[in-house]
Amino acid sequence: MRIFSDLNYKQLYQFIPHMHERRYVQDEVVFFRNDPSHALYLLKKGEVSLNIDVNDTFEILTKVKSGASLGESCLIKNRKRQLNAFVTSENAEFYVIPQENIFSIFDDNPKIKTKMVEALAGMYSDYNASIFKTYKSSLGFFNLKQVYKED
């Protein structure tokens, strides 16, 4: 998971006591857009669609599988979810780390905070670059899910 990619084993170990397992079934909501971003979700098993609500429908932007993280915005205080997340597989299993525990780890370990916030900034920078690239190549007319496709 990119958000943890720069941490060593000792730093990663700090999160283990704070991980809670959650299970979801197909079509269950993990979170909605505009929900408070109070936890980081690590997808252990299953598939989840990330959607944006447009008018009265949900447009799928991408689907993520085991090994993905969701809700990285919880690394920043007072953020809200920007996407909706729905389980698309029969079942999904997550490790959930509450934001308050993440911030406690950050308070005790500034190097962990720095590495994770830098990873988050890199992810957001890549998303922006993808948006601009897609926008330029489509002369301003594009489907937002094109942004989530890999090069």
Side-chain angles (χ1 to χ4, degrees):
M1 293 180 193
R2 185 169 175 186
I3 202 75
F4 294 109
S5 63
D6 291 333
L7 302 182
N8 62 39
Y9 287 117
K10 183 178 177 182
Q11 292 168 328
L12 288 168
Y13 183 78
Q14 302 298 311
F15 293 90
I16 292 174
H18 306 291
M19 297 170 83
H20 306 281
E21 287 192 62
R22 293 278 317 265
R23 289 179 168 70
Y24 294 84
V25 295
Q26 190 170 23
D27 297 325
E28 193 169 358
V29 175
V30 180
F31 51 78
F32 280 115
R33 184 178 65 81
N34 286 329
D35 283 350
S37 191
H38 288 163
L40 179 63
Y41 292 81
L42 311 175
L43 185 54
K44 176 183 173 186
K45 179 182 175 186
E47 182 181 76
V48 174
S49 67
L50 299 177
N51 308 274
I52 189 164
D53 41 315
V54 179
N55 299 321
D56 293 332
T57 63
F58 294 101
E59 181 180 322
I60 295 175
L61 300 177
T62 191
K63 290 185 179 181
V64 295
K65 297 182 186 276
S66 303
S69 61
L70 307 170
E72 297 90 351
S73 60
C74 77
L75 300 181
I76 304 169
K77 289 182 182 179
N78 303 317
R79 295 290 111 197
K80 292 188 177 188
R81 306 287 185 199
Q82 294 187 14
L83 301 173
N84 307 293
F86 302 110
V87 174
T88 54
S89 55
E90 188 174 321
N91 295 292
E93 297 177 19
F94 289 91
Y95 292 114
V96 181
I97 307 172
Q99 182 185 54
E100 63 187 39
N101 297 123
I102 293 170
F103 286 168
S104 177
I105 292 168
F106 285 176
D107 289 343
D108 295 339
N109 303 277
K111 287 183 181 181
I112 292 175
K113 179 180 182 178
T114 299
K115 288 179 180 182
M116 290 184 72
V117 171
E118 285 177 351
L120 180 65
M123 291 167 63
Y124 285 172
S125 177
D126 290 349
Y127 290 142
N128 281 337
S130 184
I131 288 170
F132 298 146
K133 178 181 175 186
T134 304
Y135 183 81
K136 284 184 195 178
S137 67
S138 63
L139 302 175
F141 297 98
F142 67 96
N143 187 317
L144 195 55
K145 68 181 170 184
Q146 290 174 281
V147 172
Y148 286 85
K149 295 193 187 296
E150 298 294 321
D151 287 328

